[in-house]
């Protein structure tokens, strides 16, 4: 892997890896005169730990080493286990006697995997700062909130970032975002132990407090830091596709580290303990969706509204066709690979629904607490959840239902339908 950083003046070039221009002159102008004799007392930057680590990187790149030193020292005083800050501190000491052309070049083992992880962490943080989309655009994945869903969590696997959005009259409004760790081998979990983070729409199912983890996990509890918030992997569509695994949680980090590398977990989404607690205040157990996508898509308010309206129309058209006993239009909403929660395929489902419809003289279908969230990637899906109240001349039934929709021949089709688990 080529260097992620070159200490010096900023370059305008950001390709696959962040490349910065080399210094216009060596950091040590006179090798006979050690830098530490020239170093002045700097001014520490303020802000969150992430803002300060990025400020320190900026100071180094612009030759403001005294300010970088003051910022890193203040950060380490507050977070003595912040490994990336320790790495920058080492670089600053090394820069007193020699020029460096790469972050971590002052380390004793500059080619180690741990050093590479810290460089990746720095790159992920810098890349996130350069993106203004979450503040100026809306997430295309959060289309319809149920009335009781106050917040939604969006995980951008590619950016190693977790976002929180508030439901403001049905529109997602940005609240906060934090750096996060995902699976060692990336995203799209398929089987137990593959060290990948799942992609899809999930819900927070419980809160495992640190005292509970200490009691049930012993020494292993430290891996989860301040606690864990399990999510509903595998969900209904995961199970129907044969995906396996368990124990996918949002959680903190061990006491001996401030933050982990971008790809370091066994599939969970991990944040610093401070930031996990910040996220936790927005979680409603059983309500809060956690939408994990390969790469977040940001759209204008106009485009978001168009997608929001189209999603609502899609579900209402399906409801109206079912309610009006329009059997063929209703069945045309189901895809070729459809499966129900009781194992029916499309052919079996169609025969059963046709027979049932023939026995009806009237029916009424009402959907309450509807939510619609979209996963991204090469094979996007819609996840709809609602309380279904079905009434007819010979049956009354109420249930909580979930559907998964997928594009087929240019149209959205239902590929799974059943009781929400």
């Amino acid at each position: 892997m080529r260097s992620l950083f070159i200490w010096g003046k900023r370059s305008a070039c950001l390709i696959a890896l962040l490349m910065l221009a080399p210094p216009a002159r060596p950091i040590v102008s006179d090798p006979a005169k050690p830098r530490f004799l020239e170093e002045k007392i700097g001014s520490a930057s303020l802000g969150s730990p992430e803002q300060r680590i990025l400020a320190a990187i900026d100071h180094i790149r612009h030759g403001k080493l005294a300010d970088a030193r003051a910022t890193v020292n203040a950060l380490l005083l507050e977070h003595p286990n912040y490994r990336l800050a320790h790495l920058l501190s080492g670089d600053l000491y090394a820069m007193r006697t020699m020029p460096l052309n790469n972050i971590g070049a002052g380390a004793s083992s500059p080619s180690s995997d741990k050093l590479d992880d810290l460089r990746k962490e720095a790159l992920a943080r810098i890349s996130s700062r350069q993106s203004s989309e979450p503040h100026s655009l809306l997430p295309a994945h959060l289309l319809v909130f149920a009335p009781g869903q106050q917040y939604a969590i969006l995980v951008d696997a590619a950016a190693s970032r977790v976002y929180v959005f508030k439901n403001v009259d049905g529109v997602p409004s940005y609240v906060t975002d934090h750096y996060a760790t995902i699976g060692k081998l990336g995203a799209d979990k398929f089987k137990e132990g593959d060290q990948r983070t799942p992609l899809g729409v999930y819900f927070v199912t419980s809160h495992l407090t640190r005292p509970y983890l200490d009691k049930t996990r012993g020494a292993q509890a430290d891996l989860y830091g301040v606690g864990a918030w399990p999510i509903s992997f595998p969900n209904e569509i995961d199970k129907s596709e044969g995906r396996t695994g368990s124990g996918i949680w949002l959680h903190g980090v061990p006491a001996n580290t401030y933050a982990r590398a971008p790809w370091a977990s066994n599939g969970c989404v991990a944040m610093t303990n401070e930031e996990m607690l910040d996220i936790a205040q927005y979680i409603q157990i059983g309500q809060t969706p956690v939408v994990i996508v390969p790469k977040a898509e940001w759209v204008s308010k106009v485009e978001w509204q168009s997608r929001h309206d189209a999603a609502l129309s899609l579900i209402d058209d399906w409801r109206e066709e079912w309610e009006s006993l329009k059997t063929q239009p209703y069945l045309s909403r189901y895809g070729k690979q459809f499966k129900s929660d009781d194992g029916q395929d499309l052919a079996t489902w169609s025969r059963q629904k046709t027979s049932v419809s023939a026995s009806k003289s009237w029916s009424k279908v009402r959907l309450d607490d509807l939510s619609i969230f979209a996963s991204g990637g090469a094979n996007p899906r819609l996840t709809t959840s609602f309380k279904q109240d079905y009434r007819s001349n010979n049956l009354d039934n109420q249930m909580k239902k979930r559907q998964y929709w997928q594009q087929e021949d240019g149209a959205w089709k239902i590929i799974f339908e059943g009781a929400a688990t």
Side-chain angles (χ1 to χ4, degrees):
M1 177 180 291
R2 298 183 64 193
S3 298
L4 299 179
F5 299 87
I6 297 177
W7 295 124
K9 292 184 177 179
R10 189 189 303 265
S11 166
C13 183
L14 179 63
I15 315 177
L17 295 176
L18 184 66
M19 300 299 296
L20 302 177
R25 55 183 173 81
I27 290 179
V28 177
S29 56
D30 182 0
K33 189 176 183 181
R35 184 77 190 199
F36 67 86
L37 295 178
E38 302 176 356
E39 189 167 319
K40 300 176 182 180
I41 297 176
S43 176
S45 297
L46 302 177
S48 68
E50 181 170 66
Q51 289 170 332
R52 282 182 280 166
I53 202 75
L54 292 174
I57 290 173
D58 286 343
H59 291 326
I60 295 173
R61 287 162 53 189
H62 293 95
K64 299 178 180 179
L65 301 190
D67 290 344
R69 166 57 61 194
T71 301
V72 168
N73 284 348
L75 191 50
L76 286 173
L77 186 64
E78 183 178 333
H79 298 286
N81 54 3
Y82 199 167
R83 294 173 184 172
L84 181 55
H86 279 290
L87 185 66
L88 296 185
S89 179
D91 278 352
L92 285 164
Y93 279 115
M95 285 177 180
R96 293 179 172 187
T97 58
M98 62 180 178
L100 302 180
N101 63 3
N102 186 17
I103 187 172
S108 58
S109 302
S111 61
S112 70
D113 290 341
K114 289 183 179 180
L115 178 56
D116 189 45
D117 282 344
L118 291 175
R119 288 171 173 156
K120 289 175 180 176
E121 178 188 339
L123 179 60
R125 293 183 184 278
I126 289 174
S127 297
S128 174
R129 180 181 61 175
Q130 292 172 336
S131 173
S132 62
E133 284 91 344
H135 305 277
S136 59
L137 300 173
L138 297 181
H141 313 279
L142 310 181
L143 293 175
V144 179
F145 286 89
Q149 290 172 330
Q150 298 177 23
Y151 299 93
I153 295 172
L154 175 65
V155 180
D156 184 336
S160 293
R161 207 78 189 170
V162 172
Y163 300 89
V164 176
F165 286 88
K166 184 177 182 179
N167 173 7
V168 178
D169 298 325
V171 179
S173 176
Y174 171 83
V175 176
T176 189
D177 65 283
H178 296 298
Y179 166 84
T181 295
I182 65 166
K184 291 183 179 73
L185 296 182
D188 201 12
K189 185 174 186 63
F190 191 82
K191 63 180 180 180
E192 178 82 34
D194 63 7
Q195 297 184 321
R196 292 180 178 273
T197 297
L199 296 174
V201 177
Y202 303 95
F203 296 87
V204 178
T205 60
S206 62
H207 173 204
L208 306 181
T209 65
R210 181 56 191 266
Y212 172 82
L213 291 169
D214 285 332
K215 182 178 180 180
T216 58
R217 301 269 174 156
Q220 191 184 13
D222 187 50
L223 176 65
Y224 310 107
V226 293
W229 287 258
I231 64 174
S232 56
F233 175 87
N235 61 24
E236 299 87 357
I237 193 69
D238 292 327
K239 293 173 183 176
S240 74
E241 293 178 338
R243 296 178 185 265
T244 61
S246 60
I248 300 299
W249 302 347
L250 308 178
H251 63 74
V253 296
N256 67 353
T257 186
Y258 176 74
R260 297 172 69 182
W263 304 285
S265 80
N266 289 324
C268 294
V269 177
M271 286 161 273
T272 72
N273 289 319
E274 178 183 7
E275 291 168 343
M276 183 64 249
L277 289 176
D278 180 48
I279 294 288
Q281 67 181 308
Y282 305 109
I283 293 176
Q284 300 167 272
I285 303 303
Q287 287 259 44
T288 301
V290 179
V291 184
I292 309 176
V293 298
K295 182 176 177 60
E297 181 183 2
W298 308 99
V299 297
S300 68
K301 176 64 182 298
V302 171
E303 175 63 19
W304 180 88
Q305 189 68 52
S306 175
R307 297 190 189 194
H308 165 86
D309 293 346
L312 285 176
S313 293
L314 183 71
I315 305 306
D316 195 54
D317 287 348
W318 165 84
R319 181 204 62 78
E320 193 276 333
E321 288 162 357
W322 185 22
E323 179 181 81
S324 302
L325 305 177
K326 299 174 183 177
T327 306
Q328 289 310 309
Y330 163 78
L331 290 174
S332 71
R333 300 282 179 178
Y334 292 81
K336 298 173 185 175
Q337 64 185 75
F338 170 78
K339 291 181 181 178
S340 67
D341 58 349
D342 58 359
Q344 295 185 71
D345 60 12
L346 180 59
T348 305
W349 179 267
S350 297
R351 287 194 297 269
Q352 190 259 343
K353 290 297 181 182
T354 300
S355 175
V356 168
S357 293
S359 70
K360 306 293 181 183
S361 58
W362 63 271
S363 68
K364 184 70 176 177
V365 181
R366 190 180 73 195
L367 308 182
D368 295 316
D369 294 340
L370 173 66
S371 68
I372 307 175
F373 302 106
S375 58
N379 194 25
R381 289 174 173 170
L382 296 177
T383 300
T384 70
S385 305
F386 47 85
K387 291 179 180 177
Q388 175 183 290
D389 186 350
Y390 176 89
R391 300 178 188 276
S392 71
N393 58 291
N394 56 10
L395 177 67
D396 288 351
N397 175 261
Q398 294 78 41
M399 66 181 297
K400 186 174 181 180
K401 182 176 280 188
R402 189 159 292 137
Q403 295 174 329
Y404 294 86
W405 297 66
Q406 184 172 294
Q407 287 279 322
E408 181 181 294
D409 299 327
W412 287 106
K413 303 287 186 179
I414 300 168
I415 60 170
F416 180 91
E417 180 175 317
T421 57

